[in-house]
Amino acid sequence: MNDFSENILRIGKRYNNPKRAYVLVNPLQAKHMPARPTQSVEMMKALGAVIREKYPTARLVIGFAETATAIGAQIARCLADTCVYIQTTRESFPDVEEWIDFLEEHSHAVEQKLCADHFAEWLCHTDTVVFVDDEITTGKTLCNMVKKLEERYPQLKEKQLVAASIFNRVSEEDETKMQDAGIKCEYLVKPPQDDYTKMVNAIKVHEADAVAPMEVSFRHCDLCCEELQDPRCGVSIAAYQHNCETVADTFIKEILAPLDSSSRVLVLGTEECMYPALVLGGKLESELKISDVRCHATTRSPIGISNHENYPIQNGIKLASFYDQGRTTYLYNLDQYDIVIVISDSPQKDFDAMRQLAAVMCPFENTKFFYIQGGNHVWYL
């Protein structure tokens, strides 16, 4: 289970965050650093296998936004086709009738919420609820969430509650608190209880660079497939997987093919939308045998940039959110690619982020740039 321990832990420094100085950066997570999609999925499946072995009848998985949305989806896949997968969100959805709000107090954006429109129904069909995060440090966020859920759904007290994470840094004292709340911890890696704040204090970092948009006009076409489903409102994992694969297959067939197997390809997710990028990237790598495919995602998390030796975040840019023009997002560890594909479940047909991203990612005329918006609209250069 600890085969990944030497490969997936890097320590970064949050930029201008007084709540927590450090950030754990996982090179295989396909979030802050580009990663091969097959390696990312392999890591996530390893955690999924742990959960499947110990809790084979779990049928409700909750992934924490932003960074654990893809991990949660993969764990749900490892359990059963009938598993319901839902992720927390910081986005607004006018059609949702019930929300459960909670705080992730150490984060850059503390407010999180969970769609509760069908939560009681989902609880009736599972004996175990699996909460998934990339990292658990104190368990405080999860304990706060469970307390709120139990206030509204007393039947949750009759369920097994599992905290699944790639990293678990929970102390013995905090783990006792989680056990008292009825929560068991499962994980891939238990890092040492080092003082990560002290480790990054002396590192000088700067903010990601602002980017002027490229003044270009994007062409547009529609794919012959349905739009991406939204796991923020809860999905059957089998249906969501099929949906993501259909979008990927349709894009490859109608837009991308033929493709040179020696191409360098980036498939980029957006904020909370990470899993569709891994599905598309995995198909390019495994099925089309593209030799050099990388996945990662934009993020709302401001991480410091430094060329300090072995520091994980070497460069970065600020750009408008694909979901909200007025919100700043970040993209780290950029490189040059022959093909750049952004895939997002954003409903916004907005060009600000695309033009900023194109200015950096498409320095040459022969670089191909695609934006799959909502799953069935493609904007391209």
Side-chain angles (χ1 to χ4, degrees):
M1 186 170 66
N2 292 322
D3 292 346
F4 296 96
S5 58
E6 295 182 0
N7 301 317
I8 63 174
L9 180 59
R10 306 287 188 273
I11 312 300
K13 186 173 184 178
R14 296 173 188 264
Y15 182 78
N16 200 25
N17 187 335
K19 301 171 188 176
R20 182 181 291 179
Y22 69 89
V23 58
L24 302 188
V25 178
N26 183 341
L28 294 184
Q29 196 173 330
K31 182 59 175 178
H32 303 118
M33 299 176 69
R36 288 183 57 187
T38 51
Q39 291 182 341
S40 294
V41 170
E42 181 184 0
M43 178 194 68
M44 296 172 191
K45 282 184 175 179
L47 180 58
V50 173
I51 302 304
R52 184 181 62 240
E53 179 180 354
K54 295 187 177 182
Y55 312 95
T57 55
R59 294 296 180 268
L60 178 57
V61 175
I62 301 172
F64 279 80
E66 292 176 346
T67 48
T69 56
I71 305 170
Q74 190 59 58
I75 288 177
R77 279 204 72 205
C78 288
L79 285 167
D81 285 348
T82 56
C83 192
V84 170
Y85 174 59
I86 185 170
Q87 65 187 54
T88 67
T89 184
R90 296 183 175 98
E91 301 296 336
S92 298
F93 292 86
D95 295 334
V96 173
E97 295 181 3
E98 289 188 74
W99 290 108
I100 295 173
D101 300 302
F102 62 99
L103 298 179
E104 189 179 16
E105 296 176 6
H106 67 270
S107 178
H108 53 281
V110 298
E111 296 85 3
Q112 289 243 35
K113 55 190 177 182
L114 180 72
C115 174
D117 284 358
H118 303 285
F119 199 80
E121 175 188 345
W122 296 330
L123 282 179
C124 290
H125 293 92
T126 189
D127 60 6
T128 304
V129 181
V130 182
F131 300 88
V132 182
D133 213 340
D134 59 325
E135 168 213 349
I136 298 178
T137 301
T138 65
K140 187 175 181 180
T141 297
L142 183 52
C143 287
N144 289 342
M145 182 183 186
V146 167
K147 183 178 179 180
K148 282 213 165 189
L149 285 170
E150 288 180 343
E151 289 173 357
R152 190 175 299 189
Y153 306 100
Q155 63 268 42
L156 187 66
K157 298 177 182 179
E158 303 169 4
K159 311 295 180 179
Q160 289 191 102
L161 306 180
V162 181
S165 60
I166 304 297
F167 299 123
N168 181 298
R169 297 191 64 241
V170 179
S171 66
E172 290 185 10
E173 179 183 357
D174 286 330
E175 187 166 354
T176 298
K177 292 178 182 178
M178 294 182 72
Q179 290 172 350
D180 290 343
I183 305 169
K184 298 180 181 180
C185 289
E186 305 292 349
Y187 53 87
L188 274 188
V189 178
K190 185 79 170 177
Q193 292 291 333
D194 293 336
D195 188 344
Y196 292 148
T197 298
K198 185 177 181 180
M199 290 171 62
V200 301
N201 270 345
I203 299 176
K204 294 182 179 180
V205 297
H206 60 87
E207 192 178 12
D209 297 325
V211 177
M214 177 185 285
E215 294 302 322
V216 292
S217 296
F218 287 87
R219 291 171 286 176
H220 171 260
C221 64
D222 290 330
L223 299 178
C224 296
C225 62
E226 295 182 353
E227 63 184 24
L228 280 171
Q229 294 181 7
D230 196 338
R232 299 175 185 86
C233 299
V235 290
S236 156
I237 192 59
Y240 185 51
Q241 179 69 26
H242 181 264
N243 173 243
C244 291
E245 289 183 356
T246 299
V247 170
D249 288 337
T250 306
F251 173 74
I252 291 169
K253 179 181 177 181
E254 296 183 4
I255 305 295
L256 205 55
L259 196 60
D260 186 343
S261 62
S262 65
S263 298
R264 295 202 73 211
V265 183
L266 173 66
V267 185
L268 191 69
T270 56
E271 301 180 42
E272 298 174 0
C273 179
M274 295 174 60
Y275 193 65
L278 282 177
V279 172
L280 175 54
K283 282 184 173 290
L284 294 174
E285 188 175 20
S286 299
E287 297 180 14
L288 273 68
K289 307 302 180 184
I290 307 303
S291 58
D292 194 355
V293 181
R294 295 295 183 271
C295 289
H296 59 142
T298 62
T299 176
R300 293 172 69 169
S301 179
I303 303 176
I305 312 296
S306 175
N307 59 6
H308 188 276
E309 185 179 4
N310 297 324
Y311 187 80
I313 305 299
Q314 296 286 316
N315 63 61
I317 58 170
K318 292 193 294 186
L319 65 159
S321 170
F322 281 87
Y323 298 83
D324 180 353
Q325 269 190 31
R327 185 164 77 216
T328 297
T329 60
Y330 302 86
L331 181 62
Y332 301 111
N333 284 20
L334 290 81
D335 205 341
Q336 291 186 3
Y337 301 90
D338 302 309
I339 301 170
V340 177
I341 306 165
V342 182
I343 181 166
S344 177
D345 58 5
S346 172
Q348 305 296 329
K349 296 179 176 64
D350 197 308
F351 294 96
D352 284 5
M354 284 196 291
R355 289 191 174 114
Q356 286 179 287
L357 194 56
V360 176
M361 305 301 291
C362 303
F364 309 111
E365 289 186 1
N366 59 351
T367 303
K368 297 180 180 179
F369 183 95
F370 302 92
Y371 173 39
I372 308 172
Q373 177 259 323
N376 52 11
H377 304 288
V378 179
W379 308 84
Y380 62 98
L381 291 177

